[in-house]
Amino acid sequence: MDILPPRVQRFRIRLMRFNYNIVYVPGKEHSLADALSRKPIGKEEQDLHAITQVFVDQVIKDLPVSNQQLERNTRHQREDETCQLLFRYCSEGWPEKVQGTVKHCQPVAAEISVQNGLLMRGCRIIIPLTLRMEMIEKLHTGHLGLVRCRQRARQSVWWPSLGNQLEELITNCSACRQHRGNKAEPL
C-alpha cells in the first residue's frame, strides 16, 4: 500500500470493508466507454434509444401545462410558418445561412428538436406567434415581477426575445409599477 499514490490509498481505505476484484477491460470492449469517440453498438443502442424516449416522455409529462394546452400548442405550431421551417430544419438539417424569422433561432439550433410532434428547445416548448401574448399574460399572472416571471418562463416556454417582451410588459404594467419601489435604505 505504500507504493500507491495518496489518492488511491484513500480510495482503497474506503473500500477495505468490501470484497472486490479489479479486472482490466480494454477500451474496445466498452460499449459506452465515452460518447464522443465510440458509437454504442447492438443491444446497447436499442437500450439507449428506449431510455432516451422514457426521459423525453417524462419531461413532457412534467411540463406545467395541461394536455389540452399541449394539443392546442401542437396545432398552432403546425399552422405557424416559422415553426414549419423549424420542423423542416430539425428533420433535414440547418442550412449555413438562415433568413427571415428563423434567423433568431439559429444561435440555439443545437437545442431545438421535435419530440412527440412538439417543437421544443431543450425541455421548453417553443410557442408559436399566435399564442405568445396569451403565454406572456399567463406568465405575468400575479404580478410577481421581472425576475420571477423569467424564472417561470425558463421552466416551460421559449421563443426569440421572450425576455425582452416580458420586461416591456412588466415595465408598462401599472400594478407592477405601483408595487415596485426602491428598496435601498437612505444613508
Side-chain angles (χ1 to χ4, degrees), residues 30-184:
H30 287 260
S31 63
L32 295 172
D34 56 345
L36 299 176
S37 65
R38 292 184 177 86
K39 182 177 183 276
I41 53 173
K43 186 176 182 326
E44 290 85 7
E45 186 173 322
Q46 293 171 354
D47 291 344
L48 181 64
H49 179 70
I51 290 169
T52 305
Q53 189 59 44
V54 167
F55 175 75
V56 167
D57 292 341
Q58 190 63 38
V59 166
I60 291 174
K61 180 183 168 199
D62 290 342
L63 285 171
V65 64
S66 66
N67 289 337
Q68 293 83 9
Q69 185 64 33
L70 276 177
E71 291 170 9
R72 185 168 172 241
N73 193 64
T74 304
R75 191 174 60 251
H76 281 269
Q77 281 182 352
R78 296 285 178 203
E79 297 167 357
D80 188 64
E81 194 174 297
T82 303
C83 291
Q84 288 176 358
L85 282 172
L86 290 175
F87 277 117
R88 193 173 88 213
Y89 292 159
C90 285
S91 64
E92 298 172 5
W94 284 75
E96 285 187 31
K97 275 200 163 188
V98 178
Q99 300 295 325
T101 56
V102 184
K103 179 175 65 174
H104 301 293
C105 298
Q106 192 166 19
V108 294
E111 299 176 46
I112 296 176
S113 64
V114 178
Q115 302 298 333
N116 298 349
L118 194 62
L119 199 56
M120 300 185 76
R121 176 189 173 196
C123 296
R124 300 158 63 181
I125 301 170
I126 296 178
I127 303 298
L129 184 63
T130 54
L131 296 177
R132 289 180 185 173
M133 284 310 296
E134 179 184 332
M135 285 298 141
I136 283 184
E137 293 297 327
K138 286 183 180 182
L139 291 170
H140 187 60
T141 301
H143 304 280
L144 300 173
L146 181 61
V147 174
R148 184 68 179 127
C149 287
R150 281 186 175 165
Q151 286 175 345
R152 290 177 72 184
R154 285 187 195 114
Q155 292 175 351
S156 57
V157 297
W158 182 84
W159 65 83
S161 73
L162 167 62
N164 295 338
Q165 290 177 6
L166 273 172
E167 185 174 352
E168 183 180 328
L169 174 75
I170 292 168
T171 304
N172 296 329
C173 176
S174 60
C176 290
R177 202 174 323 130
Q178 182 181 7
H179 294 290
R180 184 182 328 131
N182 190 359
K183 305 288 186 202

Side-chain angles (χ1 to χ4, degrees), residues 7-20:
R7 182 173 175 214
V8 176
Q9 284 179 1
R10 287 192 299 272
F11 284 136
R12 189 150 183 208
I13 289 170
R14 278 191 230 148
L15 296 172
M16 285 179 78
R17 61 185 169 170
F18 301 105
N19 292 325
Y20 58 89

